Amino acid sequence: MAAPFDLKNDGVVVIIGSGAGGGTLGNELAQKGIDVVILEAGGRHEYEDFINDEWDSFAQLAWTDKRTTSGDWRVAKDFPNLPAWIVKAVGGSTTHWAGASLRFQEHEFKTLSTYGKLEGANLLDWPITLADLEPYYAKAEDKLGVTLTNNIPGLPGNNNFKVMKAGADKLGYKECHTGRMAINSEPRDDRNACQQTGFCFQGCKWGAKWSTLYTEIPKGEATGHLEVRPNAMAIKINHDASGNVTGVVYADKDGKLQEQKARIVAVAGNSIESPRLLLNSVSNQFPDGLANSSGQVGKNYMRHTTGSVYGVFDKPVHMYRGTTMAGIIRDEARNDPSRGFVGGYELETLSLGLPFMAAFLNPGGWGRSFTTALDHYDHMAGMWIVGEDMPREDNRVTLHADMKDEHGMPVADVHFDDHANDTAMRDHAYKQGSALYAAVGATRTFPTPPYPSTHNLGTNRMSEKAADGVVNKHGQTHDIKNLFVSDGSQFTTGGAENPTLTIVSLAIRQADYIAEQMSAKSL
Amino acid sequence: MVTIYERKAGERKPGLSRRELLKRGGVGALLVISGSAVISPEHAWGLETSALKPETMATLIQMARDIYPHDQVPDKYYAIAVKAHDEQAGKDPAHKDLIENGIADLDLKSGKDGYTGLGWEEQRVAVLREIENTPFFQAVRGGLVVGLYNQKEVWPIFGYEGESYSKGGYMARGFDDIEWL
Ligand SMILES: Cc1cc2nc3c(=O)[nH]c(=O)nc-3n(C[C@H](O)[C@H](O)[C@H](O)COP(=O)(O)OP(=O)(O)OC[C@H]3O[C@@H](n4cnc5c(N)ncnc54)[C@H](O)[C@@H]3O)c2cc1C
Ligand code: SF4
């Protein structure tokens, strides 16, 4: 029932990317009767086609087009061409994601006022508050079927969670539970309940975990108002003399360039590709790229302060059985500068299979120190640190000076240096994580460095004033009224929480705004 | 083409007297060079090389074990993990040079009996530490991360169970069976 729209149809909203932001916006608009074309660079793989195998799944779904890195972050050394672990496929990174769905805390919308000016950080208050977003958080939680909201029971704790919980109790943490997960603990929304398969990062073959691929997108298509065009890589956004955008040039499945005309364009390619596309859309009128009068496009790249702690025990754990992110500790998420840093972090269980553990435990490491860790793979428990990192102007996505992709589009370079606050937070979290596992009898713990970024944020940030950021409080660019940003690149700051629930809430809110503006004929 | 083959029961072991004999340090297992093949008479498998010298391949197998030593993982899996270098060497002369010269250099640095002549793992690791920043070492180590740990046959040795969807996940197979807490 997918409605195929004509390339020349200039009445459609064109959305770039079909992930958390784009897929949600597309369905929300389609439900309101607005015609939408989603251009998606990747292919369409339905959930039966997902693969319970880490590298094979990575090859099927991950974004592996060339990127470059620079800066002092360890990812630049370990994975120079893989700054981010995200997806190129219909559904975007919601195919790979773990499902943790947390609301931001009130102060995280007001970081400049709360933390004050921090040297080397480009902090700014969001132009919206928690109260503005609360009704949309509620809608998003219902849409995603988040456990422990809407009377949905929590998931049962797996082995990895039980170890975490036992340690949390010993350390006196109060807020440790199986999380707010966008994973069905019982059948809901015509989808299965979680079968504890343990391959959440490889795409849920049961469809128990929310992904736009099998929720928003088919629902939108069923209205007849949404077309998703896979294998369509947007290269450039065109505009007219008045400065309004008019269409999107993309490479189709055969590599041929096409232009889809548009009434409105919404960019949702995740925080590396979205600024790359805006920066590549240069013209005489906009020599620095679209929506870039502030010069902020691509800047303030955030990736959360991350890291993992794995512990080895004298008895088996089998952490890989069951949900990958099976539980959370929230006690450290508060802002408490007495710990030596501003902002806070969450601790969430995490498990990797043996192949990814070998690749990520200590990239570049070798010898017995490394291999004796893996020897105890089935005796390991693991957790992931996710905390607020500081936005910095120099942490940014730029177009590579001479390296180009197969379509002739300059590849993205991702530059990142840790702020001292990030490092202090990570060290604190490593200590807490190690102490937690030691308290349950770990014989050895591993402070594991950050993986390529799964959370990518901030590169088209939201601001009250046009001079400080790229988009306003509706994700509408300050410079061009029919150009929107609909993904995590809108985030003014990153919060301590996994970002997707906030991305989805912003997309629902943006759909209301776009529909209003369209019926008022302002768009 | 490199092939790893299981030797059939009753097949004659290659005569050791006429062959160059590689004595593996420490463990005492034997890898034997026969024609263009590396053979493990004890464990009934062989690895035929086409581009690299079989001696080079035998040293590479030892080097692989010293980089990622797992005493419970048989040589066969290290052999499978490094055989891609023979394939690549067949297609790319630069890669062949990288590996042959790298192994020759390793032998040179290891003294008169070469790398595999060093009896203790620590002695061999000391030589590896000297070259760990070379493109040769990084090519071998980097290839092993996927080449060794992505073999489904080694997963059970580490207690990793792999694919689980076809078995209905772990819902009824112990996702929460921990008892010692
Ligand atoms: C392993 C993993 C685990 C995660 N776990 C969690 C979690 O537990 N909780 C949480 O909140 N978040 C999690 N995340 C992060 C989450 O997936 C992302 O925050 C979210 O999907 C981002 O949404 P998005 O719309 O910005 O981008 P995406 O979902 O990445 O979608 C962007 C889409 O745009 C497409 N695209 C990009 N450029 C173009 C172009 N030029 N033309 C056409 N299409 C283009 C891409 O192919 C992609 O499909 C996880 C991510 C990963 C990888
Ligand atoms: S553990 Fe649950 S959510 Fe994760 S992949 Fe399996 S069934 Fe899906």
Side-chain angles (χ1 to χ4, degrees), chain A residues 200-220:
Chain A
C200 308
F201 283 177
Q202 283 66 44
C204 179
K205 282 180 78 73
W206 302 95
K209 180 188 79 178
W210 179 84
S211 167
T212 54
L213 172 66
Y214 40 82
T215 58
E216 306 310 301
I217 288 167
K219 285 180 190 179

Side-chain angles (χ1 to χ4, degrees), chain A residues 355-377:
Chain A
F356 273 17
M357 189 59 88
F360 293 128
L361 178 66
N362 182 17
W366 60 278
R368 287 211 179 248
S369 158
F370 180 82
T371 55
T372 50
L374 294 183
D375 285 341
H376 304 292
Y377 175 78

Side-chain angles (χ1 to χ4, degrees), chain A residues 17 19-21 40-41 85 88-89 92-93 97-100 232 234 269-270 273 487 498-500:
Chain A
E40 168 53 56
W85 170 9
K88 181 180 182 177
S93 306
W97 81 315
N270 208 324
E273 293 308 312
D487 59 17
N498 315 52
T500 306

Side-chain angles (χ1 to χ4, degrees), chain A residues 392-409:
Chain A
R392 313 186 75 180
E393 279 217 348
D394 292 343
N395 287 349
R396 62 189 291 203
V397 174
T398 51
L399 299 181
H400 198 280
D402 38 56
M403 216 179 280
K404 295 196 163 63
D405 71 7
E406 55 180 315
H407 309 300
M409 185 178 181

